Amino acid sequence: MQNLWNGADAATMVRHYASKGISEDVSLRTYSSRLLGANKWLVMHGGGNTSVKTEMRDVYGDLVKVLCVKGSGWDLATIEPAGHPAVRIDPLFRLRNLDKLSDEDMVNVQRQNMLDSFGPNPSVETLLHAYIPHKFVDHTHSTTSIAVADQDDAIAIGQKIWGNRVGYVPYIMPGFTLAKAAGEAFDADPTVEGLLLVKHGLFTFGATAKESYDRMIQLVSEAEAYIANSGSRGLVQGVTLTAPIELSAILPALRGLISRAAKDEGSHSHWVLDHRVTDRLMQVVNADNIDELAKRGVATPDHVIRTKAFPLVLARPEGDLAAWLTDTKSRLATYIAEYKALFAKQNARVGGIKKPLDPLPRVLIIPGLGVLGIGKTAGEAKIVSDVSEAWAESLIDAERIGRFAPIGENDTFDMEYWSLEQAKLGNTKPKRLAGQVVVVTGAGSGIGAATAKAFAAEGAEVALLDLDFEAAKAMAAGIGKTALPVICDVMSPHSVKVAVAAVVARFGGIDIVVSNAGAAFQGAMATVDEAVLHKSFELNFYGHQRICQGAVAVMKAQGLGGALLFNVSKQAVNPGKDFGPYGLAKAALLALVRQYALEHGADGIRSNAVNPDRIRSNLLNNDMIAARAKARGVSEAEYMGGNLLMREVTAEDVAQAFVHHAIMPATTGDVTTVDGGNVSAMLR
């Protein structure tokens, strides 16, 4: 494993934070924490924790000894000094004299002794950091060290790799008891450079941030070398498997099964899928004994809140898709039933005090196809896939040196239902369109860009389709990490097909289409070139038909309903002079809206239109505004504000109309005008 410490970078960070009043200790703690967090094979998605023992002044100006330890909700990869809240350390030392301490009392004492009561909750492993006397302490869930920790004879193997340079702590659930055990293991030999927590992870420590970090990289590298030189064959596989059924056909159907099952369980109604394939992951997915391996459990206890205790293994997709889906539905039902039975059994063991979480799997393993992470959002689904990838890495390495044997059923349940662990996920109420996948055409600018932003603000996953990929890419970057830019020419059937497949591959399906791409074509009907008319219909009618035709196929495969939302324009009902090529295509589009409403209402697919007028965009640019104002004999300002409300209507106004239609479950075949009030364009 590469050591990324750079003295110049560390010094730069110290100077940067010094200008903000941050001490060198905390600045270096921030620097080395980010180095650890930057390597996904060490920690990922909020995992791991780090600390530094230092001194700070309290509100009275007194210098007090504190432990600055990673706070809940912070990610080591991006952590700031505020992510290491300061806790007075002497009261933490006093706790070590107690025989027992409840989780609630532990958290309470930690919060009572924070210098800033508004800071995040200190890590659940705060006491463990406190009881190791070194100034800097690092803790990771390195996939390599986990491969050692998840052995029945983990201590014996660890001693072969590291000898007495590492202390060993048997598995104990995080908290007070583990902290005392780790402290005792260190006290037994204060010369150790680290502690291996069996079934859990690796701690290192040192007098400086660099020393602790160097030790982590060195110990992990030594474990890597041991595994590489083991000479064991590891996982057994037959021929390399591939799935003969296309991914684009499988994902929407799977997403529908998962989402309907969730709804039946009173859970979130729309779920997002994250497909993951790597060479190492496929070694596990295609292993001869994958069914048995999947039942072994999570690599490290912290992962259970992301992935559940076990993935759901499906059959290899082949032959008839309908038959495969029938088998998948049966396996999903069995998984849910088994989860409920396990909960009932375990809850009885702990006294019947737990409330059941939803019983849905979070990981699907599909031989020949890969792994699917399941989440309420694309971000959540990606985390699940990332954790699954780490699980596979640890499993492969563990099987090379022995047998992958993580924590058992009782301990896994205790971690999954531990309130302090569940708190890491937060209790934020999902936004009203969370989990729904929205496709917006013409999303690189104007109404499309505003609409993409509006749906993202409602929690939807957004695919931004545009002929100008750079524009779509720039807009997606401004929306968020999960927004998907896709190049798409709606005038090309092939381009549309590829774009729809790209959205399905990224999110698992499609729920809402905002068919917005278009352009204004002008000309008097008596003299207009027929080629202009053809081009207008290709873009302003057939372009909408192509994208919606592809989306409807996906929506029907999902069985979750959906919404087709069209930018029709007031030209469909209130044509403008010398605007026939555009208005005629839009009039045909209005008929298409109604036809989709008629033909797919029984599928739960709604079809509605928005009729905007005079919206500044690439379509209605400054030159067009001047031309249309001149045609009507008014000033440009009068033209843009020429409505009953006497105000210019914006792209954001139109975007809100599309959102309105998306959340109206009992409305189809409707046309909403967004024009500030135009009597001639009123439909009723």
Side-chain angles (χ1 to χ4, degrees):
M1 178 166 286
Q2 185 178 4
N3 188 313
L4 300 177
W5 185 279
N6 183 295
D9 289 345
T12 297
M13 184 168 285
V14 169
R15 289 193 299 270
H16 169 73
Y17 283 119
S19 67
K20 302 176 183 294
I22 305 299
S23 71
E24 180 175 335
D25 283 348
V26 175
S27 297
L28 289 173
R29 178 67 287 172
T30 302
Y31 173 71
S32 62
S33 295
R34 289 184 186 176
L35 292 185
L36 295 171
N39 189 328
K40 69 177 182 179
W41 303 130
L42 287 174
V43 297
M44 59 171 60
H45 301 299
N49 38 71
T50 53
S51 69
V52 60
K53 299 174 183 72
T54 187
E55 293 182 332
M56 290 183 175
R57 294 196 181 276
D58 63 14
V59 69
Y60 305 106
D62 296 333
L63 201 61
V64 295
K65 295 178 180 179
V66 296
L67 175 74
C68 294
V69 63
K70 180 195 155 192
S72 179
W74 282 88
D75 192 315
L76 290 182
T78 56
I79 199 163
E80 293 286 342
H84 282 98
V87 186
R88 292 176 180 84
I89 201 166
D90 287 341
L92 303 184
F93 289 149
R94 288 189 63 191
L95 293 175
R96 193 173 178 183
N97 296 320
L98 300 178
D99 293 328
K100 59 182 180 178
L101 181 70
S102 70
D103 293 334
E104 293 76 14
D105 286 340
M106 179 183 71
V107 171
N108 191 39
V109 170
Q110 290 172 181
R111 287 208 63 84
Q112 284 176 341
N113 287 282
M114 292 174 64
L115 292 194
D116 179 5
S117 63
F118 293 99
N121 279 329
S123 166
V124 296
E125 287 164 340
T126 293
L127 297 183
L128 199 162
H129 284 261
Y131 299 161
I132 295 174
H134 284 273
K135 186 178 183 71
F136 288 87
V137 179
D138 296 339
H139 172 42
T140 76
H141 302 133
S142 151
T143 57
T144 307
S145 61
I146 290 297
V148 176
D150 282 345
Q151 299 287 334
D152 288 325
D153 55 348
I155 296 175
I157 293 177
Q159 287 174 333
K160 289 180 182 178
I161 301 170
W162 302 302
N164 293 327
R165 291 161 51 222
V166 170
Y168 302 92
V169 183
Y171 178 76
I172 301 171
M173 188 169 165
F176 177 67
T177 304
L178 174 61
K180 289 189 68 172
E184 290 166 1
F186 178 87
D187 292 345
D189 184 0
T191 68
V192 296
E193 301 170 14
L195 294 175
L196 181 72
L197 275 56
V198 174
K199 317 293 187 186
H200 185 159
L202 182 66
F203 274 80
T204 57
F205 21 79
T208 66
K210 185 178 187 303
E211 183 177 39
S212 185
Y213 173 78
D214 286 347
R215 285 176 168 176
M216 179 64 70
I217 301 304
Q218 181 63 31
L219 293 179
V220 172
S221 296
E222 290 170 2
E224 288 176 338
Y226 177 83
I227 292 169
N229 295 325
S230 67
S232 174
R233 181 181 176 186
L235 298 180
V236 178
Q237 293 178 263
V239 296
T240 301
L241 294 176
T242 57
I245 302 177
E246 289 188 8
L247 186 70
S248 59
I250 290 173
L251 293 187
L254 269 180
R255 182 170 181 251
L257 284 178
I258 292 291
S259 296
R260 288 193 298 276
K263 190 174 182 180
D264 290 343
E265 296 296 330
S267 185
H268 193 71
S269 62
H270 286 76
W271 293 71
V272 181
L273 306 181
D274 185 277
H275 180 229
R276 188 67 55 87
V277 174
T278 67
D279 290 342
R280 295 268 285 180
L281 197 56
M282 293 306 287
Q283 288 183 40
V284 176
V285 169
N286 290 337
D288 288 352
N289 61 332
I290 182 57
D291 292 288
E292 186 270 329
L293 289 173
K295 288 291 187 180
R296 302 263 188 98
V298 292
T300 185
D302 304 64
H303 289 172
V304 71
I305 61 171
R306 302 289 190 180
T307 64
K308 298 285 191 184
F310 311 111
L312 169 58
V313 179
L314 302 181
R316 175 174 177 255
E318 57 185 338
D320 180 57
L321 176 60
W324 183 80
L325 288 173
T326 297
D327 178 70
T328 297
K329 185 176 181 179
S330 174
R331 291 178 186 233
L332 177 59
T334 299
Y335 184 99
I336 291 172
E338 289 179 350
Y339 183 93
K340 290 179 176 179
L342 185 146
F343 172 81
K345 170 187 172 185
Q346 288 293 331
N347 198 32
R349 175 180 67 84
V350 298
I353 58 175
K354 304 294 184 181
K355 180 180 178 181
L357 300 170
D358 76 74
L360 300 168
R362 293 298 189 272
V363 182
L364 301 181
I365 290 179
I366 311 177
L369 194 67
V371 163
L372 290 175
I374 303 171
K376 296 176 183 177
T377 65
E380 190 177 291
K382 179 183 181 300
I383 289 174
V384 172
S385 291
D386 287 346
V387 172
S388 299
E389 197 175 341
W391 169 78
E393 289 286 332
S394 293
L395 189 154
I396 291 170
D397 287 347
E399 289 290 294
R400 289 193 65 181
I401 59 175
R403 183 178 185 277
F404 179 65
I407 61 173
E409 179 183 303
N410 291 358
D411 291 321
T412 301
F413 177 86
D414 291 342
M415 281 297 293
E416 182 178 3
Y417 281 86
W418 189 26
S419 61
L420 298 189
E421 197 70 2
Q422 283 293 327
K424 293 180 181 180
L425 300 178
N427 296 312
T428 305
K429 182 179 179 181
K431 295 182 179 180
R432 55 184 176 176
L433 291 179
Q436 300 214 35
V437 180
V438 181
V439 173
V440 182
T441 66
S445 61
I447 291 173
T451 300
K453 288 181 181 178
F455 274 100
E458 296 290 344
E461 308 300 337
V462 182
L464 297 89
L465 277 57
D466 203 290
L467 185 59
D468 184 345
F469 179 69
E470 290 304 316
K473 188 176 178 181
M475 289 306 308
I479 287 174
K481 292 181 179 179
T482 62
L484 176 70
V486 181
I487 188 169
C488 181
D489 178 3
V490 296
M491 297 175 70
S492 163
H494 175 71
S495 181
V496 170
K497 181 179 180 180
V498 170
V500 169
V503 177
V504 170
R506 175 65 183 85
F507 300 115
I510 297 172
D511 301 296
I512 300 165
V513 170
V514 179
S515 191
N516 166 73
F521 294 84
Q522 300 185 67
M525 292 307 300
T527 57
V528 69
D529 191 312
E530 189 171 306
V532 173
L533 197 58
H534 274 293
K535 191 170 184 180
S536 181
F537 268 82
E538 273 296 312
L539 177 58
N540 295 311
F541 175 77
Y542 287 108
H544 294 271
Q545 162 64 0
R546 291 184 185 106
I547 196 71
C548 290
Q549 193 173 51
V552 165
V554 174
M555 291 174 182
K556 290 186 69 175
Q558 292 172 159
L560 302 174
L564 306 176
L565 309 177
F566 299 82
N567 184 342
V568 171
S569 169
K570 73 94 188 180
Q571 291 294 330
V573 294
N574 179 214
K577 184 180 179 181
D578 297 333
F579 229 26
Y582 180 65
L584 287 172
K586 288 296 189 175
L589 179 59
L590 180 57
L592 183 69
V593 174
R594 291 166 172 162
Q595 199 68 31
Y596 269 112
L598 175 68
E599 295 179 2
H600 292 288
D603 298 315
I605 299 172
R606 296 171 288 119
S607 177
N608 294 299
V610 173
N611 280 5
D613 188 28
R614 304 183 196 179
I615 311 297
R616 291 183 188 271
S617 64
N618 288 345
L619 188 154
L620 186 59
N621 55 29
N622 291 336
D623 291 340
M624 177 72 75
I625 291 171
R628 297 312 301 161
K630 182 178 180 180
R632 291 177 182 253
V634 297
S635 70
E636 293 180 24
E638 288 173 327
Y639 176 72
M640 294 303 291
N643 52 57
L644 297 179
L645 297 177
M646 300 179 67
R647 53 155 287 192
E648 181 175 338
V649 183
T650 68
E652 287 71 24
D653 294 324
V654 182
Q656 289 305 314
F658 283 124
V659 171
H660 160 79
H661 274 300
I663 60 176
M664 296 290 287
T667 299
T668 192
D670 184 53
V671 180
T672 297
T673 58
V674 185
D675 58 11
N678 179 355
V679 174
S680 299
M682 293 179 180
L683 293 172
R684 296 180 181 176

